[in-house]
Amino acid sequence: MKPLRALSRYSFTALAVLIALAAASLPARAVTVQEEIDLGKKIHAEILKQNQLYPDESAQKEMQQYGQNLAKGVKRTEIPYHFYILKDNDFNAFSIPGGYVYFTDRLWRVLRKDERIGVIGHEITHVDRRHAIDMMLDQQRRQIWLSVLLAAARANNTWGNIAGMAEQMYTLKYSRADEQQADEGAVDLCQKAGYNPAGILLAMYKIKRFEDESGGAPPKIFSDHPPTKERQQYITSLLQSKGIPVPPENVQEQPNPYRIGQVTSVNGNSISFTSSKPLQPGNTVWVMRNGWDFYYEKRTPVPMARAVVKSVGSTVNADVWVISSVQKAQVAKDMEVYDPPMPSPERGIGTLRPISREAGGLGRLMLNARPQRFERFLAYQAVWNNDRTQLVNDSVGYLVITNESSETGYQPITRLKYSYAPMDQNSVLVKLDDPDQQRWVGPVISIGKSSQAIEIMPSRQLSSGKTYEVLYPAWNKDDTYRKRVVGTARLQSTDKKVVLKITSFSSGWSMADIQNGFDVYEVK
């Protein structure tokens, strides 16, 4: 999938624009509900241009259901509410005026039902109480920028123009009073809708654990809020004043029975460690650190790095690859080493063997039969599942044979989420079964970002009168053709190189996201 973008620019910038809007109580220029709704639509459209929706339709429906039930209790009933989960690995949720509330998929997956509902109620209250648009400049500047921004909202101006003006002038930070009001609103809306009114406190327990694990820095959801501990205390007092039972902060310990040793030394990307069981070169083990499980509910050893054994002596020597989600952490002496159960190997037609770490990610093709040019393979390895509870087989990379006579004659692309399991490290190769193979054209082999052009290695002759689509690889069965489309392109040149000009992008994609190894198809 595409590289992840931080969402905070949209939450803060969008709200910063609206600082220029006058509060409803000000006689200088009242902002009508319709103007707020119209501006919210423009901000929302820009967010969807820059970010992909989380593809889990059941999760989207669940958020809509919770949100609409909560929204029945708002004061400004004329505002229509909309709820979306965006595909992003940040720990974040935010809202914008006009009735739009967003979660990142990571936050959605980490929180449980009551916690999700509490956070949704908090964000709805920010909209309902006009917290963003009631943050204003002084009287004179407010009147000037109000006219400009509302004119832009009514016209067909791009959001980038509006954001460019506002981003230079304003920095948004909710007041303690606003945050307390949003927490009160979350409790009130949950009570009215028949949900657990303590959900926002349960969410705060997890936010604090995330904050502590990150070295004291709060996640983006509360980066400009009052300190988490202070908010926990306030919400606890609020619940008690309403006679609502305060849920205890239950923390469980979950030991891991697969410990085999301990790191004795670290040298760059290599480690030495002790082992209580015999290991062989090529074996994979895992360096773990003490932390929280995926849901921030249990203290447990957490996978930190993959280690592949190089040699065995009085200690075991191994190369390590740090898991991307914990890149800020460093493998260190005395960390523990584990050997959890591996899944049964994927059935394939060969493997990709390592040459050296300096080979730039290229491995040596070891196939059961000589490959054909333009054959396509997925590379499988054992990796951690989404909640890091067990190892599973999944595709870590994709390759297209470009020179059938060479052991390294292929165009590879690594799946970014599994960068800790490089595809050249003994991946099992499985031939790709593509139902759209007949219109597959070839892989991207070079990218001109400034010219918005791509060079491909074509498996067939292209036509200047046709439209082509650029797709990211089909990593699994859920990656349907339509979901994979990054953008469209037209033939630009066949002089020495076959070059396509990108003509449009799908929502959430840009030229910066296209990678060598992406697929190109002819449009039906």
Side-chain angles (χ1 to χ4, degrees), residues 19-39:
I19 294 174
L21 300 177
S25 59
L26 292 173
R29 177 64 165 87
V31 180
T32 69
V33 169
Q34 190 57 52
E35 286 171 330
E36 179 184 346
I37 292 172
D38 290 344
L39 194 52

Side-chain angles (χ1 to χ4, degrees), residues 100-144:
Y100 294 88
V101 176
Y102 306 89
F103 263 64
T104 61
D105 72 281
R106 184 186 178 193
L107 182 65
W108 182 264
R109 290 182 290 117
V110 165
L111 298 185
R112 305 289 188 178
K113 175 183 175 180
D114 290 349
E115 299 155 356
R116 294 167 178 170
I117 293 171
V119 173
I120 294 171
H122 178 98
E123 296 300 333
I124 287 175
T125 304
H126 277 313
V127 176
D128 191 38
R129 305 299 173 86
R130 299 169 55 96
H131 287 161
I133 59 177
D134 285 352
M135 301 178 75
M136 66 199 77
L137 299 174
D138 61 83
Q139 182 79 11
Q140 182 179 8
R141 294 174 70 189
R142 183 182 66 249
Q143 291 179 16
I144 294 172

Side-chain angles (χ1 to χ4, degrees), residues 45-252:
E46 181 65 19
I47 289 173
L48 291 191
K49 284 181 184 177
Q50 300 295 332
N51 298 276
Q52 297 176 36
L53 289 175
Y54 184 46
D56 187 335
E57 293 183 2
S58 63
Q60 298 284 0
K61 290 178 181 177
E62 185 180 352
M63 185 176 181
Q64 284 286 344
Q65 178 184 351
Y66 297 154
Q68 296 301 341
N69 287 341
L70 290 169
K72 293 175 183 177
V74 299
K75 297 181 182 298
R76 296 197 296 155
T77 57
E78 63 272 35
I79 297 285
Y81 279 84
H82 315 271
F83 303 89
Y84 299 91
I85 305 173
L86 302 174
K87 186 163 182 60
D88 196 289
N89 201 41
D90 279 336
F91 211 69
N92 200 10
F94 63 95
S95 57
I96 62 174
Y100 294 88
V101 176
Y102 306 89
F103 263 64
T104 61
D105 72 281
R106 184 186 178 193
L107 182 65
W108 182 264
R109 290 182 290 117
V110 165
L111 298 185
R112 305 289 188 178
K113 175 183 175 180
D114 290 349
E115 299 155 356
R116 294 167 178 170
I117 293 171
V119 173
I120 294 171
H122 178 98
E123 296 300 333
I124 287 175
T125 304
H126 277 313
V127 176
D128 191 38
R129 305 299 173 86
R130 299 169 55 96
H131 287 161
I133 59 177
D134 285 352
M135 301 178 75
M136 66 199 77
L137 299 174
D138 61 83
Q139 182 79 11
Q140 182 179 8
R141 294 174 70 189
R142 183 182 66 249
Q143 291 179 16
I144 294 172
W145 283 98
L146 173 65
S147 300
V148 173
L149 290 171
L150 290 181
R154 287 192 294 268
N156 194 28
N157 291 28
T158 64
W159 162 244
N161 293 336
I162 304 173
M165 292 186 293
E167 201 164 13
Q168 297 177 31
M169 297 186 61
Y170 312 114
T171 300
L172 174 70
K173 185 172 182 178
Y174 285 132
S175 67
R176 275 175 165 75
D178 283 347
E179 289 303 335
Q180 289 185 0
Q181 194 174 60
D183 289 334
E184 291 170 1
V187 172
D188 182 56
L189 291 176
C190 286
Q191 280 187 305
K192 289 179 179 178
Y195 293 129
N196 181 0
I200 187 65
L201 180 60
L202 294 172
M204 289 302 303
Y205 289 154
K206 290 189 176 181
I207 298 299
K208 184 64 168 65
R209 294 165 194 166
F210 179 96
E211 181 179 322
D212 292 342
E213 187 177 57
S214 302
K220 289 182 178 177
I221 179 177
F222 292 137
S223 60
D224 279 335
H225 293 200
T228 305
K229 186 175 181 180
E230 176 185 318
R231 295 189 64 217
Q232 282 183 332
Q233 293 170 344
Y234 173 77
I235 297 170
T236 297
S237 298
L238 175 65
L239 295 175
Q240 290 172 337
S241 70
K242 291 177 173 288
I244 299 170
V246 176
E249 185 175 6
N250 293 323
V251 176
Q252 304 174 39

